[in-house]
Amino acid sequence: SPSSLYMADISITTPSSDAASEMGIREWPQQAKKGAWEEKSSDGQTLVRYVLDGKGTIDIVDNDDSSSRSGKLSPGTLVEVSGDATLS
């Protein structure tokens, strides 16, 4: 279907400390998020979030086809979302 061309690309990984250092993750701007929150990415945009501290779960909904993906978050988790999606 044509909408599949625009599906969000979702990646939830745990890079090694060496890989994280090579990406410069420790130098990225930091922001604290506690409790429930929601964030949206749009077509042509990539959201990248790295968990430094804490644990939780994330739900990512592809706004084009309403498919969803969930994952557990813990220190060292890297979340990358490209396309029209909602993270919560």
Side-chain angles (χ1 to χ4, degrees):
S1 76
S3 65
S4 65
L5 297 173
Y6 304 105
M7 289 177 61
D9 182 27
I10 299 164
S11 171
I12 301 173
T13 59
T14 307
S16 68
S17 58
D18 287 345
S21 292
E22 286 176 20
M23 295 169 68
I25 286 175
R26 295 286 178 185
E27 284 76 47
W28 293 356
Q30 295 184 18
Q31 52 181 286
K33 292 193 183 286
K34 293 186 179 194
W37 54 271
E38 182 174 288
E39 193 168 10
K40 295 181 186 281
S41 64
S42 56
D43 286 331
Q45 177 186 20
T46 300
L47 282 179
V48 180
R49 300 293 180 258
Y50 183 75
V51 179
L52 288 172
D53 190 32
K55 292 183 179 183
T57 58
I58 188 167
D59 294 312
I60 303 170
V61 177
D62 186 322
N63 293 328
D64 290 320
D65 68 2
S66 297
S67 65
S68 65
R69 178 164 173 201
S70 296
K72 293 192 180 301
L73 300 177
S74 60
T77 304
L78 179 66
V79 178
E80 299 172 89
V81 179
S82 299
D84 188 10
T86 301
L87 292 69
S88 60

